Amino acid sequence: MKILVTGATGLIGKALLPHLNHDEITIISRDPTRAYQLLGHHINAFDSLQSLPNLDQFDVVINLAGEPIMDKRWSEQQKHIIEDSRWNITQQLVDKIKASDTPPHTFISGSAVGIYGNQHNKTIDESFNIEPNNTDFSQQVCYRWEQIALAAQSDKTRVCLLRTGIVLAKQGGALAKMLLPYQCGLGGPIGNGQQYFPWIQLQDMVRGILFLINHNETQGPYNFTAPNPVTNRVFSATLAATLHRPHLLFTPAWVLKFALGESSQLLLDGQRALPNKLQAAGFNFTFPCIEQALKQTLGD
């Protein structure tokens, strides 16, 4: 197959591309030279979608592009960067798909479980009725992101949305940022620790994307979260135990709000999201439980 990928140099993209080595891969990267260094010279790299008048030549488009949402404090400028990095390239892809005579048969586009907002301990799956909240920035970003992507749906192109939880990987992502304090014995729950922590191991994330590519009947939103979400307190205790470190401290909510501002909601809010639709389609998780996932991820 001929596959176009955006966000290929990110955490998920770098893990996914080796599994597509029998396909012809084209990526969009602001820095093609760096992309070749990271991913190898067997791919084609363009610095923008402007190089492509349409997407007739591609069978599948995988859209993983987006500014990391927690790397910087959410100033108004940073919010615009986060929005534009998702919305603009997705709109460009949709426009190119619509301009194609023989468009890609599959468009897989990113999203996140943040689209559900803070649902406390309520169990939710893809059938949950989403009510946009104007005060919830991450929900607004995801909601608009999905609406743009869904405009590519037609009788020639199916659209699959990846409502991703916290992706567990040792090299990169949220877990990598958590490791140092836990390794030093300073880890602990965040806030009251009762907020649910929707997670997925990186290998299952990649396998899930490959599953959607290879199952033509799949379309619409899919929760990319393990079937056993845990509270922040349970996740924190399991991480400390995996690292053989004490679990005595906690981070009060006010400290996070002071340090991170509005973006602290990503750590203090929770979604007890279940991958019901993915499992109903026949996908089996290699790492359904947090203990096993963390041991595998951290090489214990």
Side-chain angles (χ1 to χ4, degrees), residues 89-231:
I89 195 164
T90 304
Q91 186 65 63
Q92 289 178 53
L93 288 168
V94 170
D95 291 344
K96 299 284 184 185
I97 290 171
K98 288 183 171 182
S100 304
D101 293 324
T102 56
H105 60 69
T106 301
F107 179 36
I108 296 175
S109 192
S111 183
V113 292
I115 195 167
Y116 297 116
N118 184 17
Q119 296 301 327
H120 306 285
N121 65 351
K122 184 187 299 181
T123 300
I124 50 179
D125 67 8
E126 297 86 351
S127 65
F128 182 78
N129 183 34
I130 296 168
E131 297 179 4
N133 180 349
N134 292 333
T135 64
D136 187 330
F137 173 67
S138 61
Q139 186 191 49
Q140 290 177 60
V141 170
C142 292
Y143 188 81
R144 177 66 181 145
W145 197 8
E146 289 194 6
Q147 294 305 303
I148 294 170
L150 286 169
Q153 180 82 34
S154 72
D155 57 356
K156 294 181 179 179
T157 302
R158 64 187 174 101
V159 177
C160 296
L161 303 169
L162 311 176
R163 291 180 177 171
T164 307
I166 304 296
V167 180
L168 300 184
K170 191 172 186 178
Q171 306 298 331
L175 180 60
K177 293 182 175 136
M178 298 178 195
L179 283 179
L180 183 59
Y182 279 87
Q183 288 168 333
C184 296
L186 302 175
I190 294 171
N192 64 17
Q194 297 308 305
Q195 67 274 31
Y196 267 82
F197 187 91
W199 61 274
I200 185 169
Q201 212 274 348
L202 180 59
Q203 291 182 38
D204 278 332
M205 183 77 212
V206 169
R207 288 179 58 249
I209 294 173
L210 297 173
F211 180 89
L212 294 181
I213 292 173
N214 292 317
H215 287 75
N216 294 331
E217 73 281 4
T218 59
Q219 66 177 25
Y222 289 85
N223 288 342
F224 268 58
T225 57
N228 295 294
V230 294
T231 63

